[in-house]
Amino acid sequence: MRTVREIAELTGISARTLHYYDEIGLFAPTSKSEAGYRLYDDKALETLRQILFFREFDIPLKEIKAVIENPNFDKNQILQMQRKMLVTKKERMERLIASIDDILKGDNSMDFTVFDETEIHTMYDSMMENMNDEQKRIFIEHYGSLDAFKEHFLKNAASERVQKSFAKVVEWYGSKEATLEATKTSRGSEVMIAYQKRIGNIQKKLASKIGMDVNSFEVRELIGEYDFVAKKLYQMEDVTKLMLEIAKVYRSNSEAKAGVDSVYGTGFASYMGEAIEAFYNR
């Protein structure tokens, strides 16, 4: 058995954090000494390592608790998922290190590439396969031809600005492979419209709650429904990072706030951003 102090020295987290994890029911001690001190066995230490892996990616404690407490919790499956997340982070760090090395050598250009030319072509082909004739017609009218649109898409997708956006999307999906797979899955326009209408209805209901505590059951229920629809719409198992990014935009981007408020009423963007953050950070 190990004490709180010994666990803290092994893992690098504070005793205060261990006490807090116990208080919220995330990580309880194996037993307590006669004097009331918390004690942990090797199995508990393994569980704590799982928790710390998730925290490395800023996953909210409530989400970690739900995974750990799931009766279908599969340690090997979780480790595989965490491995993919770590590989993605490792690849990103390696690209940044390589860019810094280039700068130290005198090359001031940084490489932000997430998807290479072959992968971008794959994304374009998948997009074309999933477009209906009406959608293609719109691009033809705007660019003159699909070949012209393709040239624009490939050039734009290779730009630093878009590659940085791709990096965010890869984080949301968990890996490059999952991101590319999502682009291959067909989403009919009718299905997309249906999901978007449902999100619009959720936002209308939420607008009627402005002023209500964002931690109230009614508000949390609406954000929970939004979470469910977003997972279906974007084909993600976990939309936490995506939703928190949306909340950040709603609360800090003046143009986005003005656009959303013009549809759902003054103050809606800030209120929805606050409600999303309360739901996912709780």
Side-chain angles (χ1 to χ4, degrees):
M1 289 288 194
R2 294 181 173 87
T3 64
V4 167
R5 181 178 179 181
E6 289 171 330
I7 291 291
E9 289 175 351
L10 276 172
T11 61
I13 65 173
S14 67
R16 184 175 181 178
T17 298
L18 287 170
H19 293 165
Y20 177 65
Y21 285 177
D22 185 13
E23 289 170 9
I24 65 174
L26 175 63
F27 178 63
T30 306
S31 62
K32 290 188 178 181
S33 68
E34 292 183 2
Y37 294 109
R38 296 172 173 85
L39 299 173
Y40 305 87
D41 61 12
D42 289 341
K43 186 176 180 181
L45 182 59
E46 184 179 333
T47 299
L48 179 59
R49 284 174 177 150
Q50 293 284 341
I51 293 170
L52 296 180
F53 272 132
F54 282 121
R55 289 301 293 152
E56 181 71 21
F57 297 91
D58 297 323
I59 295 175
L61 295 178
K62 77 175 188 67
E63 300 292 343
I64 299 174
K65 187 172 185 289
V67 171
I68 298 297
E69 292 180 348
N70 190 322
N72 298 317
F73 177 82
D74 185 325
K75 184 182 73 174
N76 290 332
Q77 184 179 1
I78 294 299
L79 285 172
Q80 287 292 339
M81 179 180 72
Q82 291 174 334
R83 186 181 187 282
K84 287 182 180 179
M85 295 167 73
L86 288 169
V87 167
T88 299
K89 187 171 185 177
K90 172 177 171 286
E91 290 174 349
R92 188 178 181 188
M93 291 300 103
E94 286 176 345
R95 286 197 299 273
L96 290 173
I97 291 170
S99 296
I100 291 172
D101 288 342
D102 288 340
I103 291 174
L104 291 173
K105 292 175 184 175
D107 181 359
N108 291 324
S109 62
M110 292 191 73
D111 181 12
F112 292 95
T113 303
V114 177
F115 293 110
D116 59 29
E117 185 177 351
T118 299
E119 291 166 333
I120 292 173
H121 274 84
T122 299
M123 293 170 69
Y124 175 82
D125 292 339
S126 298
M127 183 175 63
M128 284 293 106
E129 289 175 7
N130 294 330
M131 274 189 188
N132 59 35
D133 291 339
E134 177 60 22
Q135 290 168 325
K136 290 178 181 178
R137 184 186 64 77
I138 293 172
F139 284 112
I140 291 172
E141 287 183 356
H142 186 79
Y143 292 95
S145 69
L146 284 180
D147 286 339
F149 168 65
K150 181 177 182 179
E151 181 180 352
H152 168 82
F153 177 87
L154 297 178
K155 181 179 179 180
N156 193 48
S159 70
E160 179 182 313
R161 177 182 61 81
V162 175
Q163 287 288 334
K164 285 182 178 179
S165 297
F166 283 155
K168 280 280 187 185
V169 176
V170 168
E171 285 184 20
W172 296 338
Y173 279 97
S175 69
K176 283 175 60 174
E177 292 74 18
T179 306
L180 288 170
E181 188 61 34
T183 67
K184 296 176 184 177
T185 306
S186 176
R187 293 307 248 186
S189 58
E190 295 82 4
V191 174
M192 291 288 286
I193 291 171
Y195 280 134
Q196 289 164 356
K197 282 184 176 179
R198 186 168 176 184
I199 288 175
N201 289 332
I202 294 170
Q203 292 174 318
K204 286 179 183 176
K205 292 178 183 177
L206 189 62
S208 69
K209 308 294 182 185
I210 291 179
M212 183 179 289
D213 184 353
V214 292
N215 289 303
S216 65
F217 174 78
E218 294 90 335
V219 174
R220 289 183 61 78
E221 185 178 36
L222 287 171
I223 300 300
E225 184 181 355
Y226 196 161
D227 175 272
F228 173 79
V229 177
K231 286 175 181 175
K232 297 295 183 182
L233 176 59
Y234 300 111
Q235 302 167 68
M236 293 183 183
E237 292 183 4
D238 185 353
V239 293
T240 301
K241 289 185 177 181
L242 170 60
M243 295 295 283
L244 288 174
E245 190 70 25
I246 291 173
K248 181 180 178 181
V249 170
Y250 277 9
R251 299 194 70 180
S252 61
N253 187 302
S254 58
E255 291 184 7
K257 288 172 72 172
V260 174
D261 284 357
S262 68
V263 177
Y264 298 103
T266 302
F268 174 77
S270 295
Y271 182 72
M272 183 165 185
E274 185 182 351
I276 290 173
E277 290 176 352
F279 181 88
Y280 288 98
N281 289 327
R282 185 169 179 176

